[in-house]
Amino acid sequence: MRKNYLSPSILSADFAHLGEDIKHVEAAGSPYLHYDVMDGLFVPSISFGMPVLESVRKITDMVLDVHLMIQDPDRYIDDFVRCGADIITVHYEACSDVKRTLDKIKEHGKKAGVTIKPKTPNRVLEDVLGLADMILLMTVEPGFGGQSYIPESTEKIRELRRVLDERGLDTDIEVDGGIKKDNLRTVLDAGANVIVAGSAIFKGDIEQNTKDFLKIMGE
């Protein structure tokens, strides 16, 4: 039985009370914490970088799931490792040599993931299947929180899981964007097992929202 992991995205947290918000999801039992890095180049928005990650690392032992939405991420792999990342995921579209980038992450003893945008076909991943520990399928256009789930994403998840199963690969499939309690079961049934949720976790009662997600996920 494949294990499911919830990865709440602090992009939707209240930054005036970030430490408290993180403690709420941790207390509720979430194993991962999702950390979105945006550079204003690969995506239009700018979020946060190494200093915030380093501060987060000091207050939690949760798995820090770092999603680099930045151009040429190779430049910063060493820095994000130093600041406490446990998983580093890079965009296929942002790498000049995605295999080299994944190898660099793995050389540090960290889990390496590759991400594709909603309009990028799964077939571009052919050369990294078996190399990536996790594949993140964006289910909204990257760059902004609070967007609605793109329905066509469900078939992309199902197709990718089928290919991984056919090859005997137990690679994690992460999904990010518009995941809420009412469509969570859909992405799980399609084959996703690492679930990123932002506003659905951090808006309202954080601990109860986290517990509700974990219950649906069977965790």
Side-chain angles (χ1 to χ4, degrees), residues 116 122 135-139 156-157 160 173-176:
I116 57 173
N122 288 353
I135 294 168
L136 168 52
L137 297 180
M138 291 301 300
T139 49
K156 282 188 76 176
I157 300 166
L160 178 58
I173 297 180
E174 184 171 41
V175 288
D176 182 359

Side-chain angles (χ1 to χ4, degrees), residues 55-174:
S55 297
V56 169
R57 178 76 288 168
K58 291 175 182 176
I59 64 166
T60 183
D61 292 326
M62 297 170 75
V63 174
L64 297 185
D65 172 23
V66 177
H67 175 195
L68 300 184
M69 289 179 265
I70 63 177
Q71 201 65 43
D72 300 322
D74 297 58
R75 297 173 294 160
Y76 299 109
I77 299 300
D78 294 348
D79 293 318
F80 280 104
V81 168
R82 176 180 53 78
C83 291
D86 296 300
I87 305 170
I88 299 178
T89 304
V90 297
H91 270 266
Y92 170 87
E93 302 94 345
C95 296
S96 57
D97 185 338
V98 70
K99 281 186 171 182
R100 182 185 65 200
T101 305
L102 295 176
D103 282 339
K104 186 170 185 178
I105 297 168
K106 284 175 168 285
E107 284 168 7
H108 286 285
K110 304 299 180 180
K111 286 192 173 182
V114 61
T115 313
I116 57 173
K117 296 180 181 182
K119 293 179 182 176
T120 302
N122 288 353
R123 64 175 179 271
V124 303
L125 300 168
E126 180 67 31
D127 289 344
V128 299
L129 296 181
L131 178 59
D133 297 297
M134 183 168 73
I135 294 168
L136 168 52
L137 297 180
M138 291 301 300
T139 49
V140 298
E141 287 296 331
F144 300 96
Q147 299 180 66
S148 296
Y149 177 81
I150 298 172
E152 292 78 11
S153 304
T154 306
E155 183 52 38
K156 282 188 76 176
I157 300 166
R158 190 175 290 117
E159 175 191 83
L160 178 58
R161 180 56 72 193
R162 184 169 57 244
V163 170
L164 292 171
D165 286 347
E166 286 172 355
R167 300 187 186 193
L169 297 172
D170 196 30
T171 308
D172 288 328
I173 297 180
E174 184 171 41

Side-chain angles (χ1 to χ4, degrees), residues 180-201:
K180 303 184 182 303
K181 282 180 264 190
D182 61 4
N183 62 8
L184 174 55
R185 190 74 256 168
T186 299
V187 298
L188 291 169
D189 289 345
N193 69 301
V194 183
I195 308 298
V196 178
S199 55
I201 295 290

